[in-house]
Amino acid sequence: MKKIVLIAVSLLLLTGCASRFDSNKTDESTPNSNNKVIIPEYKISGDNYQSVLPFLPSKSRGLVVNNLNSRTDLEAFEEGLMEVSKEAFPTDRYYFREGQFLETDTIKSWLARKYNAAQLTAKGLKEKENLGLNPIDDEVGTVTERNEKAPEYLAHILEQDYLIKSEDKVKPGGISIGLALNSVFYYKEVVGGDNRSVITEREKLLAEGKKIADEVIRRIRSDKDIPNVPITIALFEQQSIGSVLPGTFLAYANVNKGDHTISGWKDIDKKNVLLPSTEADKNYHGDQETFLNFKDAVEKYFPNFSGVIGLATYKNKVYDNLKINIPIQFYGKTEVISFTQFVAGEVMRTFPKSVKVEVEITSTNGSEALIIRTPDKDAPFVYIYN
């Protein structure tokens, strides 16, 4: 069995900060800003972005929680957009900051339905206020007929800013925009009634998402308060309510500085698969068998839990990442330590070295331990929570 490394990581290091910082830089990342920012000298790893201090929350903070169907979708959306951004904005040159240009009211107005002429008149609105990016509800027919004909495709818009250092200044270097799309749109026939749903096939969802993306880029470029920098825009398909699988990004496009249109899209071949599952048994039988061997070993050692669940990720059809959750019945800290050491050893012994494996051990008290095995390491990182 490989040597197991137990490391207690302080909050300071987990956030990528250390006791030394880069010299203060003038912040030109937002309009008319003369504030100073601090760039932490250290970051978690080479493939993560450094953030600048002080922390500025997104101008649309909180909207994403309300607009996405689950926490797993939320995490996949935010982290996935950051991952997509690394092509245009590499981590060795750019710094991350939450979106500072698209305000809450702006995003809300864009997420609304577009109005027809009669609806604008009835609402007392002008055409310049007709900003909704979702289809018009012509109000002809039953609620079900109307939503079947024109479901809302766009669920949320996420902005991420990428800053670049130039001499003694920090300035905008790029913007990433994520468009979360509804694979399933939910509506109610009557207020307070049960949810009804409309499913949109992926091909149609992609087509509608690309139309929306064209208009988002046009609006951003026409806003003089938003810097003229490269933009990455990506389409995210969120899962249905109650799904155990997170959504995935489907495609992205890079728009050069000065360009007002999208010239081409790149597909993202990424798939999440639940382990164990019928789909995994059919399409990824060998990987499921390996997971079941791990699951059996854990059950023999520690039967007091409700089940081991895994989420396998395939990028470009290659097994890339595995996240495992093991819920246990907590009996004491020494038992957790012993069990964690055993699981870490099984992770090293069982799974292919090319796959990143993350294991979270939980109880009714919350998180008990975290194990991370990366392909470039001979021993796992193991952390046991106090």
Side-chain angles (χ1 to χ4, degrees):
M1 183 182 293
K2 298 284 186 181
K3 181 180 178 182
I4 299 170
V5 180
L6 292 172
I7 306 176
V9 182
S10 70
L11 179 62
L12 190 63
L13 289 178
L14 281 174
T15 55
C17 303
S19 58
R20 297 171 61 199
F21 296 91
D22 200 351
S23 56
N24 287 2
K25 305 293 179 183
T26 301
D27 177 14
E28 293 189 345
S29 62
T30 53
N32 304 318
S33 174
N34 293 313
N35 296 326
K36 296 291 184 179
V37 298
I38 297 174
I39 301 173
E41 185 175 351
Y42 302 112
K43 56 182 176 179
I44 298 172
S45 64
D47 62 349
N48 285 293
Y49 286 103
Q50 285 179 280
S51 297
V52 296
L53 301 176
F55 169 77
L56 292 180
S58 168
K59 289 293 182 70
S60 60
R61 188 180 192 181
L63 277 186
V64 66
V65 176
N66 297 325
N67 293 336
L68 293 190
N69 289 335
S70 69
R71 181 179 177 84
T72 56
D73 269 341
L74 187 154
E75 292 175 353
F77 188 37
E78 293 184 330
E79 294 174 8
L81 182 60
M82 191 178 292
E83 190 66 30
V84 170
S85 302
K86 290 177 182 178
E87 177 188 296
F89 315 123
T91 59
D92 60 347
R93 293 183 54 216
Y94 291 84
Y95 305 91
F96 172 82
R97 173 169 279 174
E98 293 198 4
Q100 297 298 306
F101 300 106
L102 297 182
E103 305 273 355
T104 294
D105 289 344
T106 298
I107 291 180
K108 283 184 175 180
S109 68
W110 291 9
L111 294 177
R113 286 187 181 272
K114 195 171 183 63
Y115 299 125
N116 59 28
Q119 290 167 338
L120 278 177
T121 300
K123 293 178 179 293
L125 300 176
K126 298 179 180 179
E127 183 56 41
K128 66 180 181 179
E129 299 171 286
N130 195 12
L131 300 175
L133 292 171
N134 275 305
I136 294 172
D137 174 5
D138 60 15
E139 300 178 341
V140 176
T142 67
V143 172
T144 295
E145 289 170 341
R146 288 153 49 190
N147 283 291
E148 289 280 353
K149 180 172 59 177
E152 294 184 13
Y153 301 111
L154 182 62
H156 189 62
I157 301 172
L158 175 66
E159 175 199 350
Q160 293 178 349
D161 295 341
Y162 293 91
L163 313 180
I164 196 164
K165 184 168 61 175
S166 176
E167 298 178 350
D168 62 343
K169 298 177 181 179
V170 175
K171 62 182 182 179
I175 296 173
S176 286
I177 301 293
L179 304 181
L181 306 174
N182 292 316
S183 61
V184 181
F185 170 59
Y186 296 94
Y187 67 94
K188 297 180 186 295
E189 283 194 317
V190 294
V191 176
D194 294 334
N195 276 338
R196 294 186 177 272
S197 62
V198 179
I199 299 174
T200 301
E201 297 298 327
R202 180 168 291 181
E203 184 176 351
K204 172 68 172 176
L205 197 65
L206 267 171
E208 294 295 335
K210 290 176 181 180
K211 290 179 187 177
I212 294 170
D214 287 335
E215 177 61 17
V216 169
I217 293 298
R218 188 194 69 77
R219 292 182 184 185
I220 289 176
R221 286 296 190 225
S222 64
D223 189 332
K224 295 181 180 179
D225 290 330
I226 300 178
N228 183 10
V229 295
I231 300 173
T232 290
I233 191 162
L235 306 179
F236 177 83
E237 179 186 40
Q238 73 161 330
Q239 292 292 323
S240 60
I241 293 175
S243 174
V244 296
L245 294 175
T248 56
F249 278 91
L250 305 178
Y252 70 100
N254 294 321
V255 182
N256 294 327
K257 177 181 178 179
D259 287 353
H260 288 67
T261 58
I262 298 172
S263 59
W265 288 87
K266 298 179 182 179
D267 292 334
I268 298 175
D269 184 0
K270 182 177 179 181
K271 187 174 182 61
N272 295 315
V273 180
L274 184 67
L275 296 175
S277 67
T278 302
E279 180 187 6
D281 187 52
K282 178 181 178 181
N283 299 319
Y284 307 95
H285 182 74
D287 297 333
Q288 171 138 306
E289 285 298 308
T290 300
F291 179 82
L292 289 174
N293 290 336
F294 170 81
K295 183 175 181 291
D296 289 342
V298 172
E299 288 175 345
K300 289 177 182 177
Y301 181 94
F302 201 135
N304 295 317
F305 60 88
S306 57
V308 180
I309 298 174
L311 178 66
T313 300
Y314 294 83
K315 292 182 180 178
N316 299 316
K317 299 179 175 59
V318 175
Y319 194 11
D320 177 75
N321 189 80
L322 175 62
K323 293 185 178 181
I324 300 172
N325 180 261
I326 305 177
I328 63 172
Q329 185 172 336
F330 181 79
Y331 285 113
K333 184 58 66 178
T334 56
E335 190 173 80
V336 170
I337 293 172
S338 176
F339 179 58
T340 301
Q341 290 175 331
F342 169 77
V343 171
E346 288 300 308
V347 166
M348 297 301 295
R349 185 184 67 81
T350 306
F351 297 108
K353 292 183 178 179
S354 59
V355 178
K356 180 181 179 181
V357 182
E358 301 176 46
V359 182
E360 185 176 16
I361 299 172
T362 61
S363 72
T364 54
N365 297 327
S367 296
E368 299 291 348
L370 175 67
I371 302 166
I372 301 177
R373 197 284 305 275
T374 54
D376 59 340
K377 301 295 183 182
D378 291 328
F381 165 84
V382 180
Y383 183 75
I384 297 174
Y385 297 91
N386 292 323

